[in-house]
Amino acid sequence: MKQRARVKIFVLLAGILCLAFLVGSIVVQNLPEGFSQQSKEKKETAFDGISSYVMGAAYGSSGEYYKSENDFLYYLDASTGEKSIVCTKTNCEHEAGKSEGSLERTECEADFSHISAYIPHGNKLYYVPADPLGKNAPWEIWEQDLTGGGQKKIVEIDEKENTSITIFNIQCDGLYMVVSFEEAGYYNEKGEYIEYDSYRTKAGIYIINMNDWSFQRVYLTRDEKDNAFGKDARPYISQISLGSEDVSLYCLYYDENFDGKKINKLPEKKQINYLDKHLHFMQVDVSLSDGETENAQSFDENHDFVYAGNWCMIQDYYGNFTAKQFRSGEGNSIVVYHSPENEEKEYDSGYRGVAVTERSVLYTIYDKKRDVLDWYRYDRETGQSECLAKSEASVVPQYATNEYVYVMIFWSDDDYEHYAIPLKELEKGKYQFPEKSEKKKIQEKQDIKNNDPEDTVVWGVQSNQLPSANAVFQINRYLKKSGYDFKVEFISALENDPDKLAQKYPQVDILQVPSSMVYNNRSADALKSGYYEQLSDFLDNGGKKLKKRFSETEWKQVEVNREIYSVPSSMLDYEGIYIAYNKKLKGKGGFKEADTLEKVEKIVSGTEVKAKYPIILLNSLEDGNLSGFADSDYCLGLALDHQTKKSELWYESKKVRAVYERFHTWYRRGWLSEENYISSTAGEDTAAWEQGALQSGDWLVAIGYGACSEDIQKMSCEIVRPKQTVFSKANMSTGVASASNCKEQAEKFLELAYTDQKIADLMLYGVQKGNYQVKDGVVSNYLQELQTTFSFLRMNFGNQIAATPLDTDGESGKSENRRKYFQSYNVTESPLIGFQPDAGDYEKDLENYINAMRKGEDIWHAQNFDWEYDSMVKKLATKRMKQYRDDVEKQIKAWEG
């Protein structure tokens, strides 16, 4: 790009005297057909500068075009704020003329259900019809008047080979139109469609000359022999920035070591780690004149990247937020925020770029507690930042031009509006962010009343995976037949904060306790929030059948402040440690009592049987599951000692340290392989190594957590489960909302969901006919695509205790084994069962601490164990974490009363 700039300067210096004559002739030669010579004179147009289409909406200098939920096109006038439908027909019914759910196109000009993408420029709106896009025919660009009408085909993008593409971004400036796409396949000479593998799709851009509509296609993915990204790269262009000579593309892609087939076989946690390792970000500059790549720059390890004209705004891996000028004055850099992490730890500071002007850098900061974006301005002259707005609603920037910032204001998840904010007013701090109108507040109250009838129990699901409409119909039919005076409805309620849940979904009567990663402690917090109704009285009276479904231990697990607010999830696996002794050791004896690490060591050291892998530690031991060997509860980064009831940071506990010391001793003896890792942050090769080592059968002892696999069971002469201590577990339990307007009916249906097989089967598996069969008392012969659905629904509801078992269920999936589980396998209650600590203000500290703890679970690999362990403890035991530990000790004393 710099070389091209130098050439440009030379041409300007050498030819400056004749430039005025040249420009006139060039403009005339490049005029679109039908324009007269007078077009050289300046003419006011509705849209000048650069216009953009970004995933469903189009922005420009004068306003925004966007689709409604029914795919009708609307226009937001940026200067007046007025919104209008893009149709010129008189007496047109517009959206009212389209029946709900209809896929047929109406006669309304604003019905854009058949349009793939659109963009305004000058006095025209250009658009790409969905048909024939993706078919065995050239795709097309049409134009129409900005207000509707005057539709006319402009050009067919006719290649030698027709391809199936999806359009994601378009930018144009009147001279060039750049279209980014993903290509899923092509049509061969016989007209047959050849689809690429899921990770072999191609990506690229069309560079279209808007004067004569000539074009060139530029791929980011070459054929496999010349593929710089790797055969499974699947690049995706997320943003484009159009300049006068080139276009910059911000791309995501997988590197050459990425294996698309391998990722699907990994556990979910490993998939995330795998993506983190192999997913990359890059800016690629492509020349508009010849389509050649001029520059490629890596932008790996960024939390956010936004183009703003000739600038890009970046929040890097460590939380630093910077604006950089990459075009027209390349090299200017403005550091808006210095992260306190000093480039030592990953940190998302919440900074997101909006726009850069001569005076300012405009940006937002995400407020996690309020779940909204606060707006800020950085003064480029003084270097000072000021807060422009802390809006109650979430104001999310979409696109910025020289005069406006286009935003979406979310009053709730499904209630939002399009706005245009004048950039100058925003810079000066004079812009008043919109507030919810009285009319909207009244409408919301009416909607709540309409959507929450007292005869309907509304079950909120923290997922988009819901029982089918047919299944719900059958449940309600069954309820009516059984004499119940209510019906049930299932809705998605995607929110983790109980206060926001109450605001967003006031109609919800039953809800699974919000949960996420352990350090957020959201389950316990939610149960303490007052959102849930206390169930103890119901369980002792009308809900006795539900109470009998679970053991006393399980009910104690979900207790909060000695009260029960939720029903345990019956997604129960054997949640304890197991020690499997290989058949190679058969006849040696003493295995049934060999339930400690000391006894494992004695058996391995005393045997003459040889194996390539004397001991294998399975990665199911990750995330604190070694607590069974430490006589402690693992709780939010703490070890809660069973004997002393003392609260210690996990690595400060001497009992925990003793476990890792023993593993280190085994490692030094060669009993543990160098490739054996247990942490959730271990590389993707760990799972493959573990599987291969186990299947080889060339091992003596395997130590894991949870359900023991069939492979290990077949190869073992004895599987021993050490004494397992059961402690608090509120995750995935389900309760009744205290604000419910039909509490009695909600409690009754909650009981039915966990005790009535007919209802449980309909909730989890849907209607049987054509979907699955029941043979020998298990659900089988189901459609392959339903397997994932069954898994999600069982997780969302946790009521498979009442349902017909699935053919893939192991020993823990059968309801008759639940009592056995709590009566056998050496299961006892923790002295602290029912204690649910408050994370309080320590959530961010816990997040960093537990992430570090997870990485440290493989500390037994250390060359100098004592030094590295002590160093880790010293680093983790910060003042704040010690305060947290002391606070939890006080909470334990208060809980014991």
Side-chain angles (χ1 to χ4, degrees), residues 362 375 388 405 421-429 431 433:
L362 299 165
W375 285 63
L388 298 174
V405 177
I421 300 177
L423 206 50
K424 289 182 180 178
E425 285 186 38
L426 188 64
E427 270 193 304
K428 294 175 182 178
Y431 182 76
F433 281 71

Side-chain angles (χ1 to χ4, degrees), residues 130-388:
D131 187 2
L133 188 68
K135 295 187 177 180
N136 190 15
W139 61 279
E140 303 166 352
I141 299 176
W142 288 56
E143 71 173 21
Q144 70 170 47
D145 296 335
L146 294 172
T147 55
Q151 290 85 0
K152 183 176 73 172
K153 183 163 71 173
I154 297 297
V155 66
E156 290 184 353
I157 306 299
D158 192 0
E159 297 276 10
K160 293 180 181 178
E161 183 180 75
N162 292 319
T163 59
S164 176
I165 66 171
T166 301
I167 293 174
F168 291 106
N169 299 278
I170 305 177
Q171 279 197 347
C172 69
D173 60 3
L175 295 176
Y176 287 100
M177 179 183 291
V178 177
V179 180
S180 76
F181 65 87
E182 181 180 30
E183 183 178 298
Y186 68 94
Y187 293 88
N188 63 19
E189 294 178 355
K190 296 179 181 180
E192 299 168 328
Y193 179 58
I194 311 299
E195 186 174 8
Y196 305 137
D197 292 343
S198 58
Y199 290 98
R200 304 286 182 92
T201 58
K202 299 181 180 182
I205 57 173
Y206 280 94
I207 302 173
I208 303 170
N209 188 316
M210 295 181 70
N211 291 319
D212 58 11
W213 297 102
S214 59
F215 63 89
Q216 55 182 317
R217 179 173 59 186
V218 180
Y219 281 118
L220 287 185
T221 313
R222 310 296 182 189
D223 57 46
E224 291 188 12
K225 294 178 182 178
D226 187 25
N227 191 340
F229 296 142
K231 66 177 183 178
D232 289 341
R234 197 183 184 182
Y236 168 72
I237 300 170
S238 65
Q239 298 180 61
I240 61 179
S241 176
L242 182 59
S244 59
E245 297 182 346
D246 59 19
V247 59
S248 295
L249 315 173
Y250 186 66
C251 314
L252 293 75
Y253 68 96
Y254 300 120
D255 63 27
E256 58 186 6
N257 295 316
F258 177 83
D259 187 339
K261 293 179 180 179
K262 182 176 183 178
I263 188 172
N264 295 322
K265 297 177 182 178
L266 295 173
E268 187 175 348
K269 287 181 182 177
K270 301 295 183 185
Q271 287 183 3
I272 295 171
N273 295 335
Y274 192 77
L275 289 176
D276 284 343
K277 184 174 182 179
H278 296 296
L279 182 64
H280 301 278
F281 303 87
M282 180 180 290
Q283 177 177 304
V284 179
D285 299 330
V286 178
S287 167
L288 293 171
S289 61
D290 55 21
E292 291 297 317
T293 299
E294 297 180 324
N295 183 41
Q297 181 180 359
S298 172
F299 278 95
D300 276 0
E301 298 186 336
N302 287 326
H303 285 293
D304 193 60
F305 181 101
V306 176
Y307 280 130
N310 296 327
W311 292 76
C312 59
M313 288 169 282
I314 306 161
Q315 192 222 139
D316 68 18
Y317 185 75
Y318 307 101
N320 302 302
F321 180 62
T322 307
K324 294 183 179 179
Q325 191 171 13
F326 67 92
R327 188 190 289 129
S328 302
E330 198 170 345
N332 290 337
S333 183
I334 303 168
V335 179
V336 176
Y337 174 74
H338 280 289
S339 168
E341 297 305 329
N342 296 318
E343 300 195 358
E344 292 181 2
K345 289 190 289 186
E346 178 186 0
Y347 176 62
D348 185 348
S349 57
Y351 281 68
R352 300 292 186 267
V354 176
V356 180
T357 70
E358 290 184 4
R359 296 177 51 226
S360 315
V361 178
L362 299 165
Y363 59 96
T364 62
I365 303 178
Y366 176 61
D367 186 311
K368 190 173 182 180
K369 290 185 177 179
R370 291 165 46 238
D371 192 27
V372 294
L373 297 175
D374 295 331
W375 285 63
Y376 286 82
R377 171 184 173 266
Y378 173 87
D379 190 302
R380 293 177 61 180
E381 184 176 339
T382 65
Q384 300 298 311
S385 290
E386 61 174 326
C387 181
L388 298 174

